[in-house]
């Protein structure tokens, strides 16, 4: 079974630009969560989607948004990028999202210059 | 609020046991988790323990839970150089819809 796939793996943007990251969950998994990982703040929850609906959102500004498609693939978007948005963005999938047993992708490393 | 605390670094010699400690705040967590992150990779679930258990053993891994003190530990027996990684303790948030992670403990194993 293929794992969680995130694209792109690495990207460099400049302040003020916007970025879209993609996540393909494990086949059959309907829940997709996104986490931001930085050296200072560690892993922080962004949002979780199940069957195209956002069920939960972390404490991030409105510049961070996401969506999920009918095939469970998910995208997250960050608009008006700031230097502090530089991070590893991790996507995780699970069958229902009702437990903490998450399957993580390798992440998308975003650098904002 | 919800918080998970871990020590940041642990250094051991190959063949020794490693013990990684964690404290958490939300006593309503049903499960507590240990994840491992190797360099350049995402997180991998190592093991978890149900909150009404005191101990869980899985091959070289032993998880101990002291619910009264809200303390969780992960013991790795016969630590190998391949165990070098960052280990994260995690609990569910109060809504049960997301994981709250500690900052991670970097385990360094020397031969």
């Amino acid at each position: 079974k293929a794992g969680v796939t995130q694209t792109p793996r690495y990207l460099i943007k400049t302040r003020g630009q916007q970025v879209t990251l993609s996540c393909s969950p494990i086949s059959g998994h309907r829940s997709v969560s996104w986490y931001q990982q930085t050296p200072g703040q560690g892993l922080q929850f962004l949002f979780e989607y199940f069957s195209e609906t956002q069920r939960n959102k972390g404490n991030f500004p409105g510049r961070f948004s996401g969506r999920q498609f009918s095939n469970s693939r998910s995208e997250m978007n960050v608009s008006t990028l700031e230097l502090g948005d530089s991070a590893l963005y991790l996507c995780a999938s699970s069958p229902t999202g009702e437990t903490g047993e998450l399957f993580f992708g390798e992440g998308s490393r975003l650098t904002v210059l | 609020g919800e918080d998970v605390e871990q020590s940041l670094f642990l250094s051991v010699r190959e063949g020794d046991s490693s013990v990684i400690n964690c404290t958490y705040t939300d006593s309503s967590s049903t499960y507590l988790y240990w994840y491992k992150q190797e360099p350049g990779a995402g997180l991998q679930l190592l093991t978890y323990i149900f909150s009404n258990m005191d101990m869980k053993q899985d091959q070289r891994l032993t998880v101990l839970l002291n619910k009264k003190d809200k303390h969780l530990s992960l013991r790795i027996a016969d630590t190998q150089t391949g165990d070098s990684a960052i280990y994260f303790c995690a609990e569910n948030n109060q809504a049960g819809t997301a994981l709250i992670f500690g900052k991670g403990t970097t385990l360094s194993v020397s031969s």
Side-chain angles (χ1 to χ4, degrees):
Chain A
K1 214 176 198 183
V4 176
T5 304
Q6 291 188 244
T7 57
R9 289 291 314 279
Y10 303 91
L11 66 167
I12 299 173
K13 294 283 186 179
T14 56
R15 277 182 298 175
Q17 287 187 310
Q18 67 96 25
V19 67
T20 299
L21 308 177
S22 180
C23 172
S24 293
I26 290 171
S27 178
H29 286 192
R30 295 169 66 190
S31 168
V32 173
S33 302
W34 289 89
Y35 287 82
Q36 182 197 62
Q37 185 177 22
T38 60
Q41 298 298 316
L43 282 151
Q44 293 188 287
F45 172 73
L46 281 156
F47 24 66
E48 187 254 354
Y49 288 87
F50 180 82
S51 292
E52 301 179 69
T53 300
Q54 185 183 87
R55 291 197 299 192
N56 193 27
K57 189 176 190 306
N59 190 25
F60 278 81
R63 300 185 297 108
F64 291 81
S65 63
R67 58 179 175 166
Q68 186 181 33
F69 302 95
S70 58
N71 61 358
S72 294
R73 191 177 70 84
S74 177
E75 288 181 348
M76 67 162 282
N77 184 277
V78 188
S79 63
T80 319
L81 284 165
E82 301 176 0
L83 296 179
D85 297 332
S86 293
L88 181 67
Y89 290 88
L90 291 164
C91 167
S93 75
S94 72
T96 63
E98 291 177 1
T99 74
E101 188 174 359
L102 303 179
F103 297 81
F104 281 84
E106 293 182 313
S108 293
R109 184 165 294 282
L110 170 66
T111 301
V112 182
L113 303 176
Chain B
E2 302 149 333
D3 196 18
V4 178
E5 299 277 345
Q6 298 178 240
S7 52
L8 293 182
F9 299 101
L10 176 64
S11 181
V12 301
R13 298 184 73 88
E14 194 173 23
D16 289 349
S17 291
S18 307
V19 179
I20 302 171
N21 295 300
C22 165
T23 57
Y24 60 96
T25 55
D26 187 0
S27 57
S28 66
S29 291
T30 305
Y31 291 94
L32 293 147
Y33 306 86
W34 284 103
Y35 278 82
K36 175 183 180 182
Q37 186 178 34
E38 296 181 355
L43 276 71
Q44 172 193 2
L45 178 66
L46 270 182
T47 186
Y48 60 90
I49 187 167
F50 190 48
S51 60
N52 70 353
M53 297 172 65
D54 297 325
M55 184 181 85
K56 178 180 179 183
Q57 187 147 4
D58 184 0
Q59 298 182 336
R60 292 190 298 121
L61 305 178
T62 303
V63 179
L64 294 177
L65 175 60
N66 181 328
K67 204 171 178 183
K68 174 176 165 289
D69 294 336
K70 297 180 186 173
H71 182 267
L72 184 72
S73 68
L74 174 69
R75 178 178 181 269
I76 306 173
D78 187 26
T79 313
Q80 303 297 306
T81 54
D83 294 323
S84 294
I86 305 175
Y87 291 80
F88 294 91
C89 168
E91 62 171 347
N92 284 104
N93 66 354
Q94 287 191 341
T97 52
L99 288 180
I100 308 296
F101 287 90
K103 292 280 177 73
T105 300
T106 298
L107 174 64
S108 175
V109 184
S110 57
S111 55

